[in-house]
Amino acid sequence: MIYQDISGLIQKAVEKELIDQADHIYVRNQVMRLLHLESFPEKVTHQTNDFIPNILEKIIAYAVGNDVIEDVFDDKEILTANIMNCLIARPSVINETFYKKYEESPQAATDYFYSLSKNSNYIQMNRIANNIHFKADSAYGEMDITINLSKPEKDPEQIRREREKKLQIDYPTCVLCVENEGYAGRTGYPARANHRIIRVPLKGESWYLQYSPYVYYNEHSIVLAEEHRDMKIDKNAFERLLTFTDQFPHYFIGSNADLPIAGGSILSHDHYQAGHYEFAMARATDAFSFTLENFPKIKASVLKWPLSVIRLQCGEKEQLLQAADHILQTWKSYSDDAADIRAFTGDTPHNTITPIARIRDDMYELDLVLRNNRTSEEHPMGIFHPHADVHHIKKENIGLIEVLGLAVLPARLKDELAEIKQFLLGHTSDVVKYHQEWANQIKHEYGTISDSEQVDIIIEKEIGKKFARVLEDAGVFKERAAFERFIKNVNK
């Protein structure tokens, strides 16, 4: 079977245009070497016809069963990536192809690279398919909800190895560094032999485009600086975002905030996230418009959105950049005790912005989400962070993706929600204690339900309402009057 699997894998790589038919002998020999095979039949009948990730799983099972590798997570990941590395071109060739496609159109270029990243198994499509995804109505529009099941569980041997082999290795410096391209991986560090990135200069600096290996939305991409440096939100960041939309007008691009709690999970490497997807926040309507007195060409509004968002629109990039920077600088030093907002504790800053850029109707559009990361005795995880009463659904940081209206919820919810559904159906259940009050509230509102499909609809609706509450907690202005006080300060 291994010969059929290898032949099938190579045939699929040809069909997906990862390699040319003329390369098949060379590629086969490279894969044979990785599997410790010294010969290959002259003729293979009934080659495996399946998707690339499925064929890879069969080959890895052979490798484990024949003592090529141990049945350990990292060993399997490293071999999988190395096999696929035999089937994709070098970075220079991929970049050259990307920019030839770009001459046709920016979308043709990203279509090519996205397909390559999926077909090369860098984007883990089989694992992503495990995620639970649905849309839920809310007072702010239709939200995206994802229960994240794509990250595989580590086996006990993997955990033991990581504990015993914990080495002080600082290469690559982090998982976003350019040095990850083609890196084989090691115990406790991801395999990236099949990883490729595209050179995308921004503002005279070397930046790179790659896709997330666990995409949460269509063409979920990461744009990263070549230099390993901390995240920083400033005028230069705004300009890079808008410059990127010039180069890829079909993509939005945004940045996590640059402070803990309000920021994302990786603040140590300057990067943005982009993609070809319309989030709920992009569809949000104006709560009210206002005038920026020093920037008469700017159309400014506050969005009807649970977080505190200023939307700026203008056909002139420089005017938009100046206006955005003025709002940022004003916000960074702004305090309002009535709204529980303080810009500093001693020398520690609390105010920053999560920015999102796009081109809409031939206009530049920049959304500025005002963030604050201050904590208190009542809210030790953050005053403008999900509060304790919603932690049973979501207590992690509200990063860019959540800000835009996509909830990435923990895997534990799959089984926990199943128990709540049994409870609502009147069956024996074991509802986790921290969900019990919520489950009781749902049952009180809807009563005992006999239809399991109706229970699914109710649970999805209630999760959407909870996620809206999560985002409301992260909003810095709970009332229009407080927002207007800030705008008045902007116009001083």
Side-chain angles (χ1 to χ4, degrees), residues 31-89:
V31 175
M32 286 170 57
R33 177 183 61 82
L34 293 172
L35 296 173
H36 303 170
L37 296 171
E38 295 183 349
S39 64
F40 206 87
E42 185 174 334
K43 187 175 182 180
V44 175
T45 58
H46 307 299
Q47 64 185 20
T48 305
N49 183 19
D50 204 340
F51 297 110
I52 286 174
N54 295 340
I55 300 175
L56 284 169
E57 288 179 6
K58 292 180 174 72
I59 292 173
I60 296 306
Y62 165 86
V64 170
N66 288 270
D67 298 324
V68 176
I69 58 171
E70 292 185 46
D71 189 8
V72 178
F73 177 78
D74 275 342
D75 284 7
K76 291 185 283 189
E77 293 288 280
I78 289 168
L79 180 57
T80 300
N82 273 306
I83 289 171
M84 288 312 302
N85 188 43
C86 301
L87 297 163
I88 51 178

Side-chain angles (χ1 to χ4, degrees), residues 307 394 397-408 467 471:
L307 289 105
K394 175 80 172 176
N397 288 7
I398 301 305
L400 173 67
I401 294 173
E402 285 87 4
V403 163
L404 287 162
L406 192 160
V408 181
F467 180 54
L471 297 185

Side-chain angles (χ1 to χ4, degrees), residues 16-18 52-53 84 88 114-123 125:
K16 298 296 184 181
E17 299 182 348
L18 294 175
I52 286 174
M84 288 312 302
I88 51 178
Y114 192 51
S115 293
L116 176 97
S117 299
K118 289 188 290 185
N119 292 328
S120 67
N121 203 53
Y122 174 71
I123 297 178
M125 296 304 294

Side-chain angles (χ1 to χ4, degrees), residues 162-441:
E162 288 187 19
R163 190 182 301 117
E164 290 185 357
K165 294 187 178 183
K166 192 160 182 149
L167 304 173
Q168 295 302 315
I169 299 174
D170 58 2
Y171 181 90
T173 306
C174 80
V175 293
L176 291 182
C177 284
V178 293
E179 289 80 13
N180 285 280
E181 187 175 38
Y183 184 67
R186 61 180 184 267
T187 296
Y189 195 93
R192 291 289 181 260
N194 57 336
H195 176 40
R196 301 292 185 267
I197 56 179
I198 300 295
R199 280 67 179 158
V200 180
L202 294 175
K203 267 200 85 221
E205 288 186 337
S206 294
W207 284 70
Y208 299 83
L209 171 71
Q210 68 178 61
Y211 290 103
S212 169
Y214 294 99
V215 293
Y216 288 126
Y217 54 86
N218 188 49
E219 298 178 49
H220 178 186
S221 44
I222 298 168
V223 181
L224 55 99
E226 181 174 66
E227 180 186 357
H228 179 79
R229 67 190 187 209
D230 289 346
M231 297 277 293
K232 187 175 183 181
I233 300 300
D234 58 11
K235 186 180 179 183
N236 287 329
F238 297 152
E239 187 170 1
R240 289 188 206 101
L241 298 181
L242 293 177
T243 299
F244 182 88
T245 65
D246 283 332
Q247 296 176 16
F248 302 95
H250 60 300
Y251 270 21
F252 84 90
I253 184 169
S255 175
N256 274 310
D258 55 355
L259 294 178
I261 299 174
S265 58
I266 301 176
L267 300 182
S268 60
H269 195 116
D270 209 0
H271 71 285
Y272 312 127
Q273 294 182 75
H276 195 188
Y277 191 72
E278 185 179 65
F279 289 92
M281 196 178 90
R283 299 188 295 270
T285 57
D286 293 346
F288 63 93
S289 299
F290 63 92
T291 299
L292 285 173
E293 294 178 3
N294 294 325
F295 306 96
K297 294 182 180 180
I298 299 288
K299 179 185 175 185
S301 62
V302 169
L303 297 189
K304 183 185 176 185
W305 192 245
L307 289 105
S308 306
V309 188
I310 293 174
R311 175 166 289 170
L312 305 179
Q313 295 171 309
C314 189
E316 296 181 13
K317 186 191 295 184
E318 188 53 41
Q319 177 108 175
L320 189 61
L321 288 170
Q322 289 178 13
D325 186 53
H326 175 65
I327 291 170
L328 173 64
Q329 299 310 322
T330 304
W331 173 243
K332 286 172 76 171
S333 61
Y334 182 77
S335 294
D336 181 347
D337 286 339
D340 219 6
I341 295 167
R342 294 176 198 162
F344 292 91
T345 299
D347 294 329
T348 302
H350 295 305
N351 290 351
T352 186
I353 278 176
T354 298
I356 302 100
R358 64 183 73 85
I359 290 176
R360 195 200 303 256
D361 299 328
D362 298 321
M363 299 274 283
Y364 292 109
E365 188 169 273
L366 195 57
D367 290 343
L368 305 177
V369 188
L370 307 180
R371 310 296 302 275
N372 177 288
N373 77 340
R374 194 166 69 88
T375 61
S376 67
E377 187 174 337
E378 182 184 1
H379 301 294
M381 295 185 71
I383 297 170
F384 303 104
H385 178 86
H387 291 173
D389 63 327
V390 295
H391 284 179
H392 66 108
I393 294 295
K394 175 80 172 176
K395 66 178 180 179
E396 296 80 13
N397 288 7
I398 301 305
L400 173 67
I401 294 173
E402 285 87 4
V403 163
L404 287 162
L406 192 160
V408 181
L409 303 180
R412 61 177 171 82
L413 286 177
K414 179 186 177 183
D415 293 335
E416 293 172 2
L417 292 176
E419 291 294 337
I420 293 174
K421 289 175 184 178
Q422 291 302 306
F423 173 75
L424 296 176
L425 287 166
H427 300 159
T428 302
S429 64
D430 186 17
V431 175
V432 178
K433 186 176 179 180
Y434 50 69
H435 286 311
Q436 190 64 62
E437 183 180 351
W438 182 51
N440 291 339
Q441 289 170 355

